[in-house]
Amino acid sequence: MAPQLSSISPLQNVGVETLIAAVESSRSPLILTDYLRDDNPIIYSNQAFLELTGYDMDDVIGHNCRFLQGEDTDQDTIAELRDAVKYSKSVRVTLKNYKKDGTPFWNDLLMSPITDASGKTTHFLGMQLDITERIETQNSLRAKTAELEASNKELEQFTYATSHDLQEPLRMISSYLQLITKRYGDKLDNDGHTFLGYATEGAERMQTLIYDLLSLSKITTTKDSFKQIAMEQVVERALFNLKLVIEESHADIRIETLPEVRVDVVQMTQLFQNLISNAIKYRQPDVRPIVTISAQEQRDRYVFSVSDNGIGIPKKQFKRIFFVFQRLHTHAEYEGTGIGLAICGKIVDRHGGTIWVESEEGKGSTFKFSLPKNEGSVQ
Ligand code: ADP
């Protein structure tokens, strides 16, 4: 049952004339319908309602408010509205309505029953709000997100298909280069050997590139691949895979206490492996690389850090390096494909976290990534 006006309401001290003026001049479009008459006709509309809908007072009074509806008005919402009115309940709905000239608008409509002293519903008060702008912004945002998701998926499939299909012809190039070296190596002069060397090196680089691209496009996560694990174990796996590089560079790897997190272990291993191998690769000449892996607990997340004493990164490149193929050095200076950090970004993203870098040129870099404390979100 609808609440009744309290007998001690301060409204009783407000003169009827003031009350009328308040309703008349309200910028909120208001209508009053007669609940006791057939088809619940509108018996009052204020000026704001007429301005919103473009109708005249004569078009409105005596008619049921369904004249605002049109072919695109959602029938389920109308049924919800009708049911609430039937059972004297207040109801709030968002409806596509139409102005007198046919222009559609989104109406945030609130209908509340008005009862007499015995608690019987006699009228309904309808308050409208034109929320067209908000709904249109929401809709276009939704459409853009869907478009973006579709094009991202398409791009991922394209990357996968091309990198996959490129492998076969490349294998052919590599094996024939090997065959030429083997069979005709002694017939070639110095230039011939140099050229063949370049060609072989090019083929090898392309193989790495294709392999990295394939790894990037293959990063997908399902809930099943998540497992609760001590992060030290994940780091140990990554270090095992980097054994050779660590030995060759005499890198000093320091692991601080790390928490247990629910992650995709294969992907997390790859993430640490990429970050640690970069920390070693981009070291200062003649300085023993020191790599520290640590974690910090925050309110609802952990922030992991991989810091080094390497060459550092200029501040204006902090964002760029996470994009595919973005490198700050030539191949001759440092080997690489420019895909490693893009892979890291994608992995962290799939776990519901973010990745960033803090660095000072000549002093070193710290790559940080966050992981939510609750189960990583699967996207
Ligand atoms: P790659 O190492 O194959 O070039 P990445 O995507 O892993 O590709 O890194 C992108 C670029 O970011 C690198 O080319 C390098 O310039 C820079 N970078 C990454 N990690 C470090 C680091 N620890 N110290 C300095 N520069 C780094």
Side-chain angles (χ1 to χ4, degrees), residues 42 45-61 63-70 97-103 105:
I42 297 173
S45 139
N46 71 353
Q47 197 54 36
F49 179 85
L50 301 179
E51 278 168 26
L52 167 68
T53 61
Y55 284 100
D56 296 325
M57 194 64 94
D58 287 346
D59 302 323
V60 172
I61 302 297
H63 299 278
N64 180 287
C65 51
R66 79 173 68 84
F67 60 81
L68 291 174
Q69 296 163 15
N97 278 164
Y98 293 83
K99 302 188 184 199
K100 189 175 181 179
D101 65 5
T103 316
F105 69 98

Short mmCIF file of all heavy atoms in Angstrom, two decimals, residues 42 45-61 63-70 97-103 105:
data_model
loop_
_atom_site.label_atom_id
_atom_site.label_comp_id
_atom_site.label_asym_id
_atom_site.label_seq_id
_atom_site.Cartn_x
_atom_site.Cartn_y
_atom_site.Cartn_z
N ILE A 42 -5.19 11.19 -18.00
CA ILE A 42 -4.42 12.27 -17.36
C ILE A 42 -5.41 13.38 -17.01
O ILE A 42 -6.23 13.78 -17.85
CB ILE A 42 -3.35 12.82 -18.33
CG1 ILE A 42 -2.34 11.71 -18.68
CG2 ILE A 42 -2.63 14.03 -17.75
CD1 ILE A 42 -1.34 12.10 -19.77
N SER A 45 -1.41 18.12 -16.20
CA SER A 45 -0.02 18.08 -16.68
C SER A 45 0.58 19.46 -16.42
O SER A 45 -0.09 20.47 -16.66
CB SER A 45 -0.02 17.77 -18.17
OG SER A 45 0.93 18.56 -18.84
N ASN A 46 1.81 19.51 -15.94
CA ASN A 46 2.42 20.84 -15.76
C ASN A 46 3.10 21.29 -17.05
O ASN A 46 3.19 20.52 -18.03
CB ASN A 46 3.35 20.88 -14.53
CG ASN A 46 4.63 20.11 -14.75
OD1 ASN A 46 4.77 19.43 -15.75
ND2 ASN A 46 5.54 20.20 -13.80
N GLN A 47 3.59 22.51 -17.05
CA GLN A 47 4.17 23.12 -18.24
C GLN A 47 5.39 22.34 -18.73
O GLN A 47 5.58 22.14 -19.93
CB GLN A 47 4.55 24.58 -17.91
CG GLN A 47 4.78 25.48 -19.11
CD GLN A 47 3.61 25.49 -20.10
OE1 GLN A 47 2.45 25.42 -19.70
NE2 GLN A 47 3.93 25.53 -21.39
N ALA A 48 6.21 21.88 -17.75
CA ALA A 48 7.45 21.17 -18.12
C ALA A 48 7.13 19.90 -18.92
O ALA A 48 7.86 19.55 -19.85
CB ALA A 48 8.24 20.81 -16.87
N PHE A 49 6.01 19.24 -18.60
CA PHE A 49 5.63 18.04 -19.35
C PHE A 49 5.27 18.41 -20.80
O PHE A 49 5.67 17.72 -21.74
CB PHE A 49 4.44 17.34 -18.66
CG PHE A 49 3.98 16.11 -19.38
CD1 PHE A 49 4.59 14.88 -19.17
CD2 PHE A 49 2.93 16.18 -20.31
CE1 PHE A 49 4.17 13.74 -19.86
CE2 PHE A 49 2.51 15.04 -21.00
CZ PHE A 49 3.14 13.82 -20.77
N LEU A 50 4.53 19.52 -20.94
CA LEU A 50 4.12 19.95 -22.29
C LEU A 50 5.36 20.33 -23.10
O LEU A 50 5.47 20.00 -24.29
CB LEU A 50 3.15 21.13 -22.21
CG LEU A 50 1.85 20.86 -21.42
CD1 LEU A 50 0.97 22.10 -21.38
CD2 LEU A 50 1.06 19.70 -22.04
N GLU A 51 6.31 20.99 -22.44
CA GLU A 51 7.55 21.39 -23.14
C GLU A 51 8.35 20.16 -23.56
O GLU A 51 8.88 20.10 -24.66
CB GLU A 51 8.41 22.27 -22.23
CG GLU A 51 7.96 23.72 -22.22
CD GLU A 51 8.62 24.52 -21.11
OE1 GLU A 51 9.73 24.14 -20.69
OE2 GLU A 51 8.01 25.51 -20.68
N LEU A 52 8.42 19.16 -22.67
CA LEU A 52 9.19 17.95 -22.98
C LEU A 52 8.57 17.20 -24.17
O LEU A 52 9.28 16.76 -25.07
CB LEU A 52 9.24 17.03 -21.75
CG LEU A 52 9.73 15.59 -21.99
CD1 LEU A 52 11.22 15.59 -22.34
CD2 LEU A 52 9.51 14.70 -20.76
N THR A 53 7.24 17.08 -24.17
CA THR A 53 6.60 16.22 -25.17
C THR A 53 6.14 16.97 -26.42
O THR A 53 5.85 16.34 -27.44
CB THR A 53 5.37 15.52 -24.55
OG1 THR A 53 4.45 16.54 -24.14
CG2 THR A 53 5.76 14.67 -23.36
N GLY A 54 6.02 18.27 -26.31
CA GLY A 54 5.58 19.07 -27.47
C GLY A 54 4.06 19.06 -27.66
O GLY A 54 3.56 19.64 -28.63
N TYR A 55 3.34 18.40 -26.75
CA TYR A 55 1.86 18.38 -26.86
C TYR A 55 1.26 19.61 -26.21
O TYR A 55 1.89 20.26 -25.36
CB TYR A 55 1.30 17.12 -26.17
CG TYR A 55 1.50 15.86 -26.97
CD1 TYR A 55 2.53 14.97 -26.68
CD2 TYR A 55 0.64 15.55 -28.03
CE1 TYR A 55 2.73 13.81 -27.42
CE2 TYR A 55 0.82 14.38 -28.78
CZ TYR A 55 1.86 13.53 -28.47
OH TYR A 55 2.04 12.38 -29.21
N ASP A 56 -0.02 19.93 -26.62
CA ASP A 56 -0.77 21.01 -25.96
C ASP A 56 -1.58 20.39 -24.83
O ASP A 56 -1.82 19.18 -24.82
CB ASP A 56 -1.74 21.66 -26.96
CG ASP A 56 -0.98 22.33 -28.09
OD1 ASP A 56 0.11 22.87 -27.82
OD2 ASP A 56 -1.48 22.27 -29.24
N MET A 57 -2.06 21.25 -23.95
CA MET A 57 -2.86 20.78 -22.81
C MET A 57 -4.06 19.97 -23.31
O MET A 57 -4.39 18.92 -22.75
CB MET A 57 -3.30 22.01 -22.01
CG MET A 57 -3.83 21.68 -20.64
SD MET A 57 -2.59 20.94 -19.55
CE MET A 57 -1.98 22.39 -18.72
N ASP A 58 -4.69 20.45 -24.41
CA ASP A 58 -5.89 19.77 -24.94
C ASP A 58 -5.59 18.35 -25.43
O ASP A 58 -6.44 17.46 -25.37
CB ASP A 58 -6.48 20.56 -26.12
CG ASP A 58 -7.16 21.82 -25.63
OD1 ASP A 58 -7.37 21.91 -24.40
OD2 ASP A 58 -7.44 22.71 -26.46
N ASP A 59 -4.34 18.15 -25.97
CA ASP A 59 -3.96 16.81 -26.47
C ASP A 59 -3.81 15.83 -25.32
O ASP A 59 -3.88 14.61 -25.52
CB ASP A 59 -2.59 16.85 -27.18
CG ASP A 59 -2.56 17.82 -28.33
OD1 ASP A 59 -3.59 17.92 -29.03
OD2 ASP A 59 -1.51 18.46 -28.53
N VAL A 60 -3.54 16.37 -24.13
CA VAL A 60 -3.11 15.54 -23.01
C VAL A 60 -4.26 15.20 -22.07
O VAL A 60 -4.48 14.02 -21.74
CB VAL A 60 -1.98 16.28 -22.25
CG1 VAL A 60 -1.61 15.57 -20.97
CG2 VAL A 60 -0.75 16.46 -23.15
N ILE A 61 -4.97 16.22 -21.64
CA ILE A 61 -6.02 16.02 -20.63
C ILE A 61 -7.11 15.08 -21.17
O ILE A 61 -7.58 15.24 -22.30
CB ILE A 61 -6.64 17.38 -20.21
CG1 ILE A 61 -5.55 18.32 -19.66
CG2 ILE A 61 -7.76 17.19 -19.18
CD1 ILE A 61 -4.85 17.83 -18.41
N HIS A 63 -6.71 11.92 -21.75
CA HIS A 63 -6.16 10.77 -22.49
C HIS A 63 -5.23 9.94 -21.62
O HIS A 63 -4.54 10.48 -20.76
CB HIS A 63 -5.38 11.26 -23.72
CG HIS A 63 -6.24 12.02 -24.69
ND1 HIS A 63 -7.04 11.40 -25.61
CD2 HIS A 63 -6.43 13.36 -24.83
CE1 HIS A 63 -7.68 12.31 -26.31
NE2 HIS A 63 -7.33 13.52 -25.85
N ASN A 64 -5.19 8.65 -21.90
CA ASN A 64 -4.21 7.78 -21.24
C ASN A 64 -2.83 8.14 -21.81
O ASN A 64 -2.71 8.46 -23.00
CB ASN A 64 -4.55 6.32 -21.53
CG ASN A 64 -3.56 5.38 -20.86
OD1 ASN A 64 -2.43 5.26 -21.29
ND2 ASN A 64 -4.00 4.72 -19.80
N CYS A 65 -1.79 8.05 -20.95
CA CYS A 65 -0.48 8.53 -21.40
C CYS A 65 0.19 7.62 -22.44
O CYS A 65 1.34 7.84 -22.81
CB CYS A 65 0.43 8.82 -20.23
SG CYS A 65 0.57 7.49 -19.06
N ARG A 66 -0.53 6.62 -22.93
CA ARG A 66 0.10 5.75 -23.93
C ARG A 66 0.35 6.45 -25.26
O ARG A 66 1.06 5.92 -26.11
CB ARG A 66 -0.72 4.48 -24.14
CG ARG A 66 -1.97 4.57 -25.00
CD ARG A 66 -2.57 3.21 -25.24
NE ARG A 66 -3.12 2.65 -24.01
CZ ARG A 66 -4.35 2.92 -23.54
NH1 ARG A 66 -5.14 3.77 -24.19
NH2 ARG A 66 -4.79 2.39 -22.43
N PHE A 67 -0.20 7.67 -25.43
CA PHE A 67 0.08 8.40 -26.68
C PHE A 67 1.57 8.74 -26.83
O PHE A 67 2.04 9.12 -27.89
CB PHE A 67 -0.78 9.68 -26.81
CG PHE A 67 -0.56 10.68 -25.69
CD1 PHE A 67 0.53 11.55 -25.71
CD2 PHE A 67 -1.45 10.75 -24.63
CE1 PHE A 67 0.73 12.45 -24.69
CE2 PHE A 67 -1.26 11.66 -23.60
CZ PHE A 67 -0.15 12.52 -23.63
N LEU A 68 2.33 8.56 -25.71
CA LEU A 68 3.78 8.82 -25.78
C LEU A 68 4.53 7.63 -26.38
O LEU A 68 5.70 7.74 -26.75
CB LEU A 68 4.34 9.07 -24.37
CG LEU A 68 3.92 10.37 -23.68
CD1 LEU A 68 4.43 10.39 -22.26
CD2 LEU A 68 4.46 11.59 -24.45
N GLN A 69 3.83 6.48 -26.44
CA GLN A 69 4.52 5.28 -26.93
C GLN A 69 4.54 5.20 -28.45
O GLN A 69 3.70 5.81 -29.11
CB GLN A 69 3.83 4.03 -26.36
CG GLN A 69 3.93 3.94 -24.85
CD GLN A 69 2.94 2.97 -24.27
OE1 GLN A 69 2.35 2.15 -24.97
NE2 GLN A 69 2.75 3.06 -22.96
N GLY A 70 5.47 4.44 -28.97
CA GLY A 70 5.57 4.28 -30.42
C GLY A 70 6.02 2.88 -30.76
O GLY A 70 6.10 2.01 -29.88
N ASN A 97 10.04 6.88 -25.53
CA ASN A 97 8.80 7.60 -25.81
C ASN A 97 8.98 8.50 -27.02
O ASN A 97 10.10 8.68 -27.50
CB ASN A 97 8.39 8.43 -24.59
CG ASN A 97 7.65 7.57 -23.55
OD1 ASN A 97 7.50 7.95 -22.41
ND2 ASN A 97 7.18 6.40 -23.96
N TYR A 98 7.85 9.06 -27.48
CA TYR A 98 7.90 9.92 -28.68
C TYR A 98 7.22 11.26 -28.41
O TYR A 98 6.17 11.31 -27.75
CB TYR A 98 7.20 9.21 -29.85
CG TYR A 98 7.95 7.98 -30.28
CD1 TYR A 98 7.79 6.77 -29.60
CD2 TYR A 98 8.85 8.02 -31.33
CE1 TYR A 98 8.49 5.64 -29.97
CE2 TYR A 98 9.56 6.89 -31.71
CZ TYR A 98 9.39 5.70 -31.03
OH TYR A 98 10.09 4.59 -31.40
N LYS A 99 7.83 12.32 -28.94
CA LYS A 99 7.22 13.64 -28.81
C LYS A 99 6.12 13.76 -29.88
O LYS A 99 6.01 12.90 -30.76
CB LYS A 99 8.28 14.72 -29.04
CG LYS A 99 9.43 14.60 -28.07
CD LYS A 99 10.37 15.77 -28.14
CE LYS A 99 11.53 15.50 -27.20
NZ LYS A 99 12.28 16.64 -26.81
N LYS A 100 5.37 14.86 -29.81
CA LYS A 100 4.26 15.04 -30.75
C LYS A 100 4.76 15.00 -32.21
O LYS A 100 4.11 14.44 -33.09
CB LYS A 100 3.56 16.37 -30.48
CG LYS A 100 2.28 16.52 -31.27
CD LYS A 100 1.53 17.77 -30.91
CE LYS A 100 0.25 17.85 -31.72
NZ LYS A 100 -0.54 19.04 -31.39
N ASP A 101 5.97 15.58 -32.44
CA ASP A 101 6.48 15.61 -33.82
C ASP A 101 7.17 14.30 -34.22
O ASP A 101 7.80 14.22 -35.28
CB ASP A 101 7.44 16.81 -34.00
CG ASP A 101 8.70 16.65 -33.15
OD1 ASP A 101 8.88 15.60 -32.50
OD2 ASP A 101 9.52 17.60 -33.12
N GLY A 102 7.09 13.29 -33.36
CA GLY A 102 7.65 11.98 -33.71
C GLY A 102 9.07 11.75 -33.23
O GLY A 102 9.61 10.65 -33.36
N THR A 103 9.70 12.80 -32.67
CA THR A 103 11.08 12.63 -32.20
C THR A 103 11.09 11.69 -30.98
O THR A 103 10.37 11.92 -30.01
CB THR A 103 11.68 13.99 -31.74
OG1 THR A 103 11.33 14.96 -32.69
CG2 THR A 103 13.17 13.90 -31.53
N PHE A 105 12.51 10.01 -27.52
CA PHE A 105 13.35 10.39 -26.38
C PHE A 105 13.28 9.30 -25.32
O PHE A 105 12.31 8.53 -25.27
CB PHE A 105 12.94 11.76 -25.80
CG PHE A 105 11.60 11.79 -25.10
CD1 PHE A 105 11.52 11.69 -23.72
CD2 PHE A 105 10.42 11.90 -25.83
CE1 PHE A 105 10.28 11.71 -23.07
CE2 PHE A 105 9.18 11.93 -25.18
CZ PHE A 105 9.11 11.83 -23.81
#
